[in-house]
Amino acid sequence: MHKLTFTPVSYTGWGSLHQLLPEVEKFKATNILIVTDPFLKELGLTDKIEQPLLAKGYATTIYTDIAPEPPLAIGEKLVDFTRKYHFDLVIGLGGGSALDLAKLAAVLAVHDGKVADYLNLTGTKTLEQKGLPKILIPTTSGTGSEVTNISVLSLETTKDVVTHDYLLADIAIVDPELTISLPPKVTAATGVDALTHAIEAYVSVNANEVTDGLALQAIRLISGSIRTAVHEGQNRQARSEMSYGSYLAGLAFFNAGVAGVHALAYPLGGQFHIAHGDSNAVLLPYVMGYIRQSCEKRLKDILDAMGISSAYLSQEEASYKCVDALQQLVQDVNIPSTLKGFHIPEDALEQLTNDATKQTRILARSPMLLEREDIYTIYRAAFDGEIREPHQL
């Protein structure tokens, strides 16, 4: 038996933002908080959200005091703000950071204590109430935050999460039109992030028939469109396929989980403030190469989903070719392929390893048990730019 959880209502497809106002009206809210990325306000994209609401007489407040890979302090500040002004609906608009913070604000607005009290690794309090209704609207095709129950926060050297089904959106609106102006660098990073979600969900020990279908279709869509989306940003078909792929990948990994790539990526973001998508991208080939023997058949399936036939290859040959294809894809979208490319010093590998080993919740889903020595070897491989397997130094 497998438990599957999904956001209650989702709208997907070009122009689906038009469903925002009818859904807001159902909540009978009067005082709405819009949590969004600062540059979206500068671009005027927030007007598409706020103006129809103002025209209907709603009171709105746009909150932009957020940052990529948001530190705990930013989450604490937003929660305090939400409590103080007694909002009755929260809308999150933007990338994963904005959506994660919007979820956090909506739920913790009705709870006591600090955000830190509810962290997965160190918190001592439990969420008891659903909180304010929330509508999540992604402007990137990558994080899947609009369909998950997780809010990720950066700590001093790593990351932690607040996670509970209360953080699930009431409404998710996934409109690829909102991604059309996304810069190539962000398109690449968030796109490989979504691909990583799908791949890790497919090889997860918690994978099942439903998440397998979601994950493989996400891999097909993303791997087939990401290069075009990065290099031809105005291509409507590529943007739509990336949007659908990201959405499906979010559903897949929310229900099957992510594993080694994410566990090793969190310390990169925490210690060096590397964007989450970039952290996943640089590690993806090295982690999959290292655990290859534990999931050969699944990597063969992934290779086929990427549009590269494995018809005349053994499982072993196909698994090697899949790792090579992932490495090539990362290079094709201009993401550095080694930790050196992100200016990570060699003497940081030990501390990165120490912090990654703490991500026990995530590591438990890996098809191969990753001990401290394994994690260090993967970081070393990513630093040197050489795919390695267990006991290959």
Side-chain angles (χ1 to χ4, degrees):
M1 184 186 76
H2 302 282
K3 178 188 176 184
L4 297 165
T5 306
F6 299 96
T7 295
V9 178
S10 294
Y11 294 98
T12 64
W14 206 271
S16 55
L17 184 61
H18 294 303
Q19 294 298 320
L20 175 61
L21 189 57
E23 288 298 334
V24 168
E25 291 172 343
K26 293 177 184 178
F27 290 111
K28 302 187 185 305
T30 59
N31 189 20
I32 301 172
L33 173 64
I34 302 171
V35 180
T36 190
D37 298 301
F39 73 91
L40 295 182
K41 190 173 190 303
E42 294 171 8
L43 290 174
L45 192 56
T46 53
D47 290 344
K48 291 186 176 183
I49 307 297
E50 186 180 34
Q51 293 307 315
L53 297 174
L54 292 175
K56 287 289 186 177
Y58 292 101
T60 62
T61 299
I62 295 180
Y63 188 97
T64 62
D65 190 9
I66 67 174
E69 316 302 316
L72 178 61
I74 283 182
E76 300 280 13
K77 185 176 179 181
L78 173 57
V79 168
D80 288 342
F81 182 86
T82 310
R83 290 169 176 167
K84 180 178 179 180
Y85 291 100
H86 305 291
F87 297 102
D88 48 19
L89 173 66
V90 177
I91 297 175
L93 172 72
S97 297
L99 302 190
D100 279 7
L101 289 169
K103 291 189 284 189
L104 196 70
V107 175
L108 289 186
V110 301
H111 288 81
D112 295 326
K114 297 289 187 181
V115 175
D117 296 331
Y118 298 91
L119 290 173
N120 176 68
L121 295 177
T122 58
T124 58
K125 288 181 176 290
T126 302
L127 296 174
E128 302 290 347
Q129 301 180 65
K130 185 176 182 294
L132 308 177
K134 46 198 169 298
I135 299 175
L136 302 182
I137 308 169
T139 59
T140 68
S141 296
T143 70
S145 181
E146 71 277 5
V147 292
T148 70
N149 68 355
I150 303 168
S151 179
V152 183
L153 295 163
S154 295
L155 307 181
E156 187 174 345
T157 61
T158 187
K159 294 184 179 183
D160 201 353
V161 301
V162 177
T163 178
H164 194 286
D165 281 355
Y166 289 152
L167 273 75
L168 280 170
D170 294 280
I171 309 291
I173 299 177
V174 186
D175 189 338
E177 188 173 0
L178 298 176
T179 71
I180 202 76
S181 60
L182 204 64
K185 187 176 186 301
V186 181
T187 300
T190 55
V192 180
D193 187 19
L195 181 63
T196 303
H197 292 155
I199 289 170
E200 290 214 282
Y202 191 65
V203 303
S204 167
V205 297
N206 295 331
N208 58 71
E209 290 81 358
V210 175
T211 62
D212 284 352
L214 294 168
L216 287 175
Q217 180 63 1
I219 292 166
R220 293 185 191 101
L221 289 168
I222 296 167
S223 63
S225 59
I226 187 170
R227 293 173 177 88
T228 302
V230 169
H231 299 296
E232 302 173 28
Q234 297 296 310
N235 187 300
R236 179 168 169 163
Q237 180 177 348
R239 290 295 189 183
S240 294
E241 290 181 0
M242 289 296 296
S243 180
Y244 281 121
S246 173
Y247 175 75
L248 293 174
L251 295 176
F253 94 83
F254 174 46
N255 284 283
V258 289
V261 179
H262 278 71
L264 273 67
Y266 278 179
L268 283 180
Q271 293 185 36
F272 296 99
H273 308 292
I274 298 173
H276 179 61
D278 285 331
S279 298
N280 278 335
V282 70
L283 291 168
L284 177 62
Y286 301 102
V287 174
M288 302 314 297
Y290 193 82
I291 69 171
R292 182 194 60 79
Q293 294 179 53
S294 69
C295 51
E296 282 186 352
K297 171 61 169 65
R298 296 246 146 186
L299 289 175
K300 186 175 187 289
D301 296 340
I302 290 169
L303 182 69
D304 286 327
M306 292 179 71
I308 304 171
S309 176
S310 67
Y312 301 103
L313 301 175
S314 67
Q315 278 188 189
E316 181 182 32
E317 290 169 336
S319 67
Y320 276 119
K321 192 166 186 177
C322 180
V323 173
D324 290 341
L326 293 175
Q327 193 166 38
Q328 186 61 55
L329 184 148
V330 172
Q331 292 175 5
D332 288 347
V333 296
N334 301 322
I335 296 175
S337 58
T338 68
L339 295 183
K340 290 179 183 176
F342 287 99
H343 308 292
I344 306 299
E346 185 174 4
D347 61 11
L349 300 184
E350 286 287 350
Q351 187 58 49
L352 287 170
T353 301
N354 291 339
D355 287 338
T357 58
K358 299 174 184 176
Q359 298 295 334
T360 54
R361 178 183 64 92
I362 303 176
L363 289 168
R365 305 181 190 123
S366 174
M368 173 185 170
L369 177 65
L370 294 175
E371 304 280 9
R372 189 186 190 284
E373 179 184 354
D374 302 307
I375 293 170
Y376 179 84
T377 302
I378 295 170
Y379 277 131
R380 167 59 66 178
F383 182 83
D384 294 334
E386 299 175 1
I387 303 292
R388 294 196 178 108
E389 297 193 4
H391 311 301
Q392 181 181 354
L393 302 176

